[in-house]
Amino acid sequence: QVQLVESGGGLVQAGGSLRLSCVASGRHFSTAPMAWFRQAPGKEREFAAAISWNSGETKYADSVRGRFTISRDHAKSTVYLQMNNLKPEDTAVYYCAARWVEDRRGIFDSIGDYTYWGQGTQVTVSS
């Protein structure tokens, strides 16, 4: 089965930290560009962070730059999102995504660029 499974979400106070994990199985997602998106209540899903499959290049939304760090461990087929200095505006369901296509070059920040998605993990930041 092709599967992306997120974990690490929860309830945290403003200023706190969480680390999200996304474990890929079924295909070699460790060699694909990956990203984190998030969707707050009443909002459209939006880009948060992305990472290339080979170069380690990263990209961040302005809203999270300087606070969030995306990384990956190819051996563990896992991508992480370290979230520091969390704010109430970060409250959302966070989704892991992978771009499994023939051409795996590049880094991407659009929903349509990604072909596989996890089920999401809830992050709630209280004030």
Side-chain angles (χ1 to χ4, degrees):
Q1 293 181 318
V2 176
Q3 195 172 72
L4 299 176
V5 179
E6 301 102 330
S7 63
L11 175 63
V12 64
Q13 294 185 34
S17 298
L18 287 172
R19 188 185 73 162
L20 306 183
S21 298
C22 174
V23 179
S25 64
R27 300 181 72 176
H28 299 295
F29 287 132
S30 63
T31 64
M34 299 186 72
W36 289 94
F37 290 77
R38 64 186 187 179
Q39 187 166 19
K43 301 287 187 178
E44 297 296 320
R45 190 172 301 185
E46 66 177 12
F47 169 76
I51 188 166
S52 65
W53 77 270
N54 57 344
S55 69
E57 180 185 4
T58 57
K59 184 177 183 179
Y60 298 95
D62 290 342
S63 58
V64 308
R65 186 176 296 108
R67 299 187 298 119
F68 291 11
T69 302
I70 187 171
S71 62
R72 69 193 305 167
D73 186 328
H74 289 276
K76 297 180 180 179
S77 297
T78 302
V79 63
Y80 304 97
L81 186 67
Q82 178 66 47
M83 305 184 294
N84 297 327
N85 191 24
L86 283 161
K87 303 176 180 180
E89 65 193 48
D90 296 318
T91 295
V93 177
Y94 283 72
Y95 298 91
C96 175
R99 177 178 167 84
W100 186 261
V101 297
E102 184 64 26
D103 187 352
R104 302 171 193 176
R105 297 173 296 175
I107 187 166
F108 306 89
D109 61 5
S110 296
I111 293 173
D113 292 322
Y114 291 88
T115 57
Y116 293 93
W117 295 82
Q119 81 290 341
T121 185
Q122 177 71 48
V123 172
T124 302
V125 184
S126 62
S127 60

